[in-house]
Amino acid sequence: MAKQQKKRIKPTVDFTIRIAGEGGEGVISCGELFAKTIARTSFHVFTFITYPSEMRGGYSMIQIRFRDVTVYSMGSFVDCLVVFNQEAYDKSIEVLKAGGILIYDPDKVNIDTALPVQKFPVPIEHISKDVIGKTLGKNVVALGVLSHIYDLERDQTKKLILERYGSKGEKVVEGNYAALQAGTKEADTAGIPQVFSLAGGKPANAEYMFISGNQAVALGAIAAGCRFTAGYPLTPATSIFETLSKLLPLVGGKAIQMEDEIAAISAIIGASFGGEKVITPTSGPGIQLMAEQLSLASMLELPIVVVDVQRGGPSTGLPTKTEQGDLKFAVYGSAGESPRIILAPTSVEDTFYQTIRAFNLAEKYQLPVILLTDQSIGYRKATVKMPDFDKIFRVDKFDRKKNIKIPQADLIDILQRQEPTDKELADYKRYRDTKNGISPISRPGTPGGQYVATGLEHNEYGRTDQSPENHLKMSKKRFRKLDTVSRAFEKNPMETYGDPHDKIGIIGWGSTEGAIREARYLAEDKGIKVRHLHPSTISPLPERQISNFLHRLDHLIVVEENLTGQFAHFIKAKFGVKPIEVHKCEGTPFTPHEIYNAIMKVARIADEDTITKL
Amino acid sequence: MAKQQKKRIKPTVDFTIRIAGEGGEGVISCGELFAKTIARTSFHVFTFITYPSEMRGGYSMIQIRFRDVTVYSMGSFVDCLVVFNQEAYDKSIEVLKAGGILIYDPDKVNIDTALPVQKFPVPIEHISKDVIGKTLGKNVVALGVLSHIYDLERDQTKKLILERYGSKGEKVVEGNYAALQAGTKEADTAGIPQVFSLAGGKPANAEYMFISGNQAVALGAIAAGCRFTAGYPLTPATSIFETLSKLLPLVGGKAIQMEDEIAAISAIIGASFGGEKVITPTSGPGIQLMAEQLSLASMLELPIVVVDVQRGGPSTGLPTKTEQGDLKFAVYGSAGESPRIILAPTSVEDTFYQTIRAFNLAEKYQLPVILLTDQSIGYRKATVKMPDFDKIFRVDKFDRKKNIKIPQADLIDILQRQEPTDKELADYKRYRDTKNGISPISRPGTPGGQYVATGLEHNEYGRTDQSPENHLKMSKKRFRKLDTVSRAFEKNPMETYGDPHDKIGIIGWGSTEGAIREARYLAEDKGIKVRHLHPSTISPLPERQISNFLHRLDHLIVVEENLTGQFAHFIKAKFGVKPIEVHKCEGTPFTPHEIYNAIMKVARIADEDTITKL
Amino acid sequence: MKTLLQNYKHPSIKPVWCPGCGDYAVLNSVQKAFAELELKPEEIGVVSGIGCSGRFSHYFNSYSLHGTHGRALPIATGLKAARPDLTVLVAGGDGDGMAIGGGHIAHAARKNIDLTYLIMDNTIYALTKGQSSPTSPVGARTKTAPYGVFEDALNPMAIFLSYDVSFIARTTSLKIKEMEHIITSAIRHPGFAIIQIMSPCVTHKSLTYEDIKENVPELPENHDPTDKLAALKYAYAEPQYTGIFYNIRKPTLEERLTSVFDHVTEKAFNKNHTMTTSQIMEEYR
Amino acid sequence: MKTLLQNYKHPSIKPVWCPGCGDYAVLNSVQKAFAELELKPEEIGVVSGIGCSGRFSHYFNSYSLHGTHGRALPIATGLKAARPDLTVLVAGGDGDGMAIGGGHIAHAARKNIDLTYLIMDNTIYALTKGQSSPTSPVGARTKTAPYGVFEDALNPMAIFLSYDVSFIARTTSLKIKEMEHIITSAIRHPGFAIIQIMSPCVTHKSLTYEDIKENVPELPENHDPTDKLAALKYAYAEPQYTGIFYNIRKPTLEERLTSVFDHVTEKAFNKNHTMTTSQIMEEYR
Ligand SMILES: Cc1ncc(C[n+]2csc(CCOP(=O)(O)OP(=O)(O)O)c2C)c(N)n1
Ligand SMILES: Cc1ncc(C[n+]2csc(CCOP(=O)(O)OP(=O)(O)O)c2C)c(N)n1
Ligand code: SF4
Ligand code: SF4
Ligand SMILES: [Mg+2]
Ligand SMILES: [Mg+2]
């Protein structure tokens, strides 16, 4: 996974393609088929999707990037742009590289003929009508054009078309085949260049899967042993619950749709009390409704995993757009003080492992773990190394392993919750005030393990006790778990990249990892060296990681996709530093170049030494 | 009000009495009758109540303090302790001053005879049974004893008994009179000293009322022009809604009980959209359920006032106990980033004015204002100067007054929301991106003022627009209001006490004001001078107040009633200081002595100069 | 009428629904009902939830509020309670109204607040692209029920009857005349009115035009809408009937509050007058 | 029986209810029902909400969860769905169940999850000391209705019938024998069972023992509990009847899931076996 790949391998192949149009025109499925075809080759693929929250109309686009090495971000500029309509052209043309290829429907789009790009009018709608009598095949015509430019393995594409449209009958499939071919033929006739050949190369590495961040959560949950989910649909998290609804029954688990998010989190609390590993996926609007039950789970010390696929806020906001706006809510989103752990995956692959880690931490420390992803990572699809499940290490007595490492493809710990021993059951204190704060938890059905789990303040037995001494004692006990977590994390490897001597440092969290990494490479190419810290644990604050990182740093940049600088605020409060904060609050993810520009600005200032040292 | 009273007036009369027993024994009503009788004199009274969250049983107590000058806190120690049972004795005896008076029921309580206090066995239960044939008059017997000790105006007490028990019939009233008299007689016979005479003095100053913090919220709301509330019962906030349910119809307003807190806040959002000034009172469990709608109100830019009477948390926690645990939730308790203002009243009197201010700020800035009180201030009763409503200043065009001052008894501004002019209505932009972020808001019924208020990101007209530019622009517009608020607050008087040259500073917020003030006086008496800042605006952070305060300070103490130091965290993040944090997380308020001890510890360290300067 | 209708349409915002969506007919009927009732646009409040149908409020030239998922009803309750002079219409989908918002209906009914609530029922979560709703038929394949819905569908008519909602009706997006009549009657009705509109989603196709074309008879002429048990029988009948199931007159929230208020002012020392703030404060002296 | 009963009582925690509270009888009846059914204490889950009645779960020697206000039902749903081997009982008050938690009942009914849900109805919010509840009678004075409750009370029996809850009954704290019988039958009933128990609050006195002493007849012997319309008639009848209003057999959640599961395993390549994690991953290659 990304974190281990410390040495930079420069790509020899690196192409970025954007297809843009209106919601309902099929641009996304066109791009997905294109990307999937590539995923069957030995190249690494990465996609980014954005579409309007409206039922129809509005700007919709997919950007696909492929390389011969891991792809870290959607890229800043594109080599090839396919636009279906004027709005798509207007909103996208600025990212097309000089000399890049522009494919547009001349019946729909007026272009600036002075642009220094290769312009090719392809009447995709017209062709679709000609070939299949309807306009809705135009996305497959476009796919045919792309198939020509990047010389796709035709059989592979056709296989994927069959998979996708097979259920609609032979006629539809045949129509799509025809549309595909017509697109390729038109491209050939029009003299559109063949830029690269993806066909005939090495086949896909069997060790890889091509999944989205949301799918990675679902698969990670299953790998971690989760067999129960309760959920309620909410963009952009819905596909997690949908995937689990499909997969859980296949592994003997259960997925239950509830009437709202309050009911969903309540149900997983009940199931966790019953001894199951549980998850509920949601986004900003939904997690707000869970505030009271998050606090309950923390008070009852029950393990639960809640996924927040962040979207643009506040309120209904920008349902299909990305933002890192829920961090403070994740940490503080309950009245009173209730400990919880926040993890923020950095890539699709990392999402898989952080999900497993979320379960491990929840089960070990008996508290809610919130997995904070976002629309950009949730909808992103990437080639991900397949974990080797023969090497999964089931840690039943978790005390053998004191710290919960960042899992890796070749070593996955799966923890189970600690149950009381017979001796402990003789006088069972469910909330025993232990040194590390963790108290063994009995599974319903165990004789002698009966107890009441109450949201009222309670003593070690679980009996309500609201005396001053007890409240203080039990509050400390609950929070002590976070200290234990922090101590355990001390042993985790540093999540930093770059040279420890570099004087400029950049901290990010969550889905921006790839863009920051590439920005760092870009800066490096200009001779500016930058260190990068990207902690996957956001709360409790990874103090050792950050303080080590801050050591001997002259300039600190904190990058996040929100308006107010939420993570920066934590760092400032803890370390008294005054970072340069780079925020983006536009519903779209950072491109590497946006971050690169920030780095270069800082580097210039650093050069002039006009900024006070940290 | 308190803030203006900068000069310290030392009391010549200062007595503290505690009555303690079991829930259901009537200790609270005994104390309330006692306090109310005093309230009719020229003395200032202050009460503190705590009772169990159970329906019956458990430790229940009321502490009453009266002085010839304003009472700031419940005090640290008591002059007279009345205990009904053993638990009450065990839990209270340590606060009885040496030489103080102990009244106990010898049939129920075993005392430590070695204690250096004046011990008087009074068989209150036995007497009650003798006199009225039942034990439930024992609290009035105890009142009779107190009536003797502090020489209460008998007729006044009897009048209050009549008020309270009148509806239960003459027999009950007569029984209570008899019990009262029996108590007094027994006290006389037993030789219990008469410590002070409250009878025959000056009558109550007509300018004062005797109200609880919760009542102050209700009265403040009515004074501010609020005529609509929707609520749902929740300890310890319930009495606010109950009071409003009683009073609002009397002033032509409406109070509607809803099915839950989500419905309650939804209803006030609807009513605010309709043009009304609105409020909903709740506590921790309930405000959590309001998270989504708080975000909605902020996004729609609708004025609402939400009161959170904080209680012990997390989860159901300690429903009848106090805590300052909801601050972070109040500030960050919604997903995404949505501006809001947080006010924390410092006393019962201040609660009245801060409530008015909450409405003014909500109406002016069109956002949610959260009034953060707590159980200790909500249940606290105190003599409060009556505002002169002839001097209320209705500011219809609020631009005349640029800053919203801390209101005072003799000058209350009442603001109304700004409506669009006819010119503005010609091309009405509900969310016009103005310099101060405030856009005039049209009242339904106004022709030409129609618009859609949507939780989706929208443009100035209110139309949905999720483009990157628009999201950034409108996010900034919404947050700009907080900058405007901050700037306006610059002009507010400093909320500091003490000499600006004092080297030790103490910052608190909310209900701890009185205890800190008294601790400061105690320290002063020992020659240790301390400055005290107690901002009533908690968020946006009162930067000028704090930075001025920090100026030339050597040691900063931040006092709060929670486990993690929530307000201190804000101060650290903003100012990079490392305060000494004094936390109490026991469900009970700080006593002056607890804070005094912290000050003295710091003073000693300061003396030894072993602590690094700020 | 045509020009009058324009008064109620948003001057520039056009619906973003898919072509053929059943909700167009509903929008049209409401605007016609407003015209029929000659309401002033600025005295209309439209409150909607989240969903395709939840976009409803955007398309009017009225004071509109597009709130959060499931909360249209309590928001509208506050608006109408505070501003009884306005005509307030509430709109949303089957998920918005019967799943996340399902708990609010009984309580609006208890107050009999004078609102008209339209539930556009397509038996699916359409905006989120095809998950099960509380009215999805058992066995149907949806995105969240890939092996078939295993929960029973709700019976909205029976449920509203059990809440004693004072005006209850059902219609479909194809019965334009009936729909207009029902909506007009519902707005005229003093008290809480609720209408289930079977409104097909052409994209997610859980409820189709086929489903509402035949086999959805009108209630017989002789149905007595004040007879609850009769209404219940029709609620349980197969095929599904359309029309006004139930229509009774009971005090509205406003009438209830007025009677409380009368009672109060009689008691207050200022008979028939409300008190001033100062007088209230005096009570606490 | 006496000693057996002890098995189900918490060894040391005694109820904190006021002497005379109606809830004591309910607690007793449930413990007797457990004994009658010879359940193992460690295989019982008791989930309760917040309220005086919400303290219920504390008094058992079982796996108990005392959650938040109004959420006992969805919590219990998760517990029972995850652990069908347990007997799960849910308990709470009229406010907990019918106000804040009211939205959940219909959906538990749709799943027909095998729970027994006791609503202890005292027509008041007792724990918070006397505010209006959804079953408070119109006109009653409460702390939040100082001039009288102006909302109509709900009719729980009619509402549960409209949700098609598969076992619906009403009893009172005075009808000990009937209550025991009903609770035992409800626990035995495969599917969702809901019981409204008229349980007086002696402190806040909205519902008194007087109210349930007379004029609460049992349902006639010949009442057919599979006849919904008959049950509805009794739900609307005055005086209020007690007994089992409705009792039908339909698939429980577990049965529904099993049938889905059978369907799935047939389809999965490993017929009649579940898949391994590795096999699942393979699907995404
Ligand atoms: C709190 C919350 N949860 C979930 C969602 C996601 N969501 C939006 S619309 C919707 C359901 C839409 O279904 P329905 O109400 O039937 O309306 P339709 O789109 O079918 O008209 C859901 C689940 C949300 N916006 N907010
Ligand atoms: C979210 C939330 N809102 C409000 C409350 C306060 N509260 C506790 S119990 C209760 C109502 C109790 O009434 P009921 O359910 O009828 O139970 P009873 O006490 O009458 O048995 C309320 C409103 C709470 N605990 N949590
Ligand atoms: S998705 Fe369905 S409900 Fe939504 S607009 Fe399209 S047709 Fe209508
Ligand atoms: S207050 Fe009422 S309901 Fe609560 S325990 Fe006492 S009698 Fe029972
Ligand atoms: Mg729908
Ligand atoms: Mg009750």
Side-chain angles (χ1 to χ4, degrees), chain B residues 29 44 170 203 262 305-306 311 388 413 521 523 528 531 602:
Chain B
S29 58
H44 294 251
E170 205 170 324
I262 300 179
V305 175
V306 176
R311 63 190 226 181
D388 183 347
D413 290 354
Y521 291 159
I528 305 296
R531 261 190 279 162
V602 171

Side-chain angles (χ1 to χ4, degrees), chain B residues 54 56 232 242 246 257, chain D residues 17 55 131-132 144 147:
Chain B
E54 275 72 36
R56 70 178 175 86
Y232 190 75
E242 289 173 352
K246 206 174 89 196
Q257 181 171 331
Chain D
W17 293 315
R55 274 294 181 102
Q131 299 79 20
S132 314
T144 45
Y147 310 112

Side-chain angles (χ1 to χ4, degrees), chain B residues 51 53-56 232-235 238 241-242 245-247 249-250 255-257 259-261 289 315-316, chain D residues 15-19 24 50 52 55 67 69 71 95 99-100 125 127-129 131-132 143-144 146-147 150-151:
Chain B
Y51 62 80
S53 72
E54 275 72 36
M55 313 94 239
R56 70 178 175 86
Y232 190 75
L234 180 52
T235 309
T238 313
F241 184 66
E242 289 173 352
S245 297
K246 206 174 89 196
L247 299 183
L250 299 176
I256 291 177
Q257 181 171 331
E259 53 276 21
D260 60 23
E261 287 85 354
L289 288 169
S315 194
T316 310
Chain D
V16 286
W17 293 315
C18 309
Y24 283 103
I50 303 290
C52 290
R55 274 294 181 102
H69 192 38
R71 313 305 167 192
I100 192 168
Y125 285 7
L127 183 66
T128 45
K129 303 199 186 300
Q131 299 79 20
S132 314
K143 288 233 186 88
T144 45
Y147 310 112
F150 51 78
E151 301 97 331

Side-chain angles (χ1 to χ4, degrees), chain A residues 284-302:
Chain A
I287 199 170
Q288 294 175 124
L289 288 169
M290 298 182 177
E292 190 188 18
Q293 300 304 67
L294 278 165
S295 178
L296 176 68
S298 192
M299 187 66 153
L300 304 186
E301 303 195 37
L302 286 175

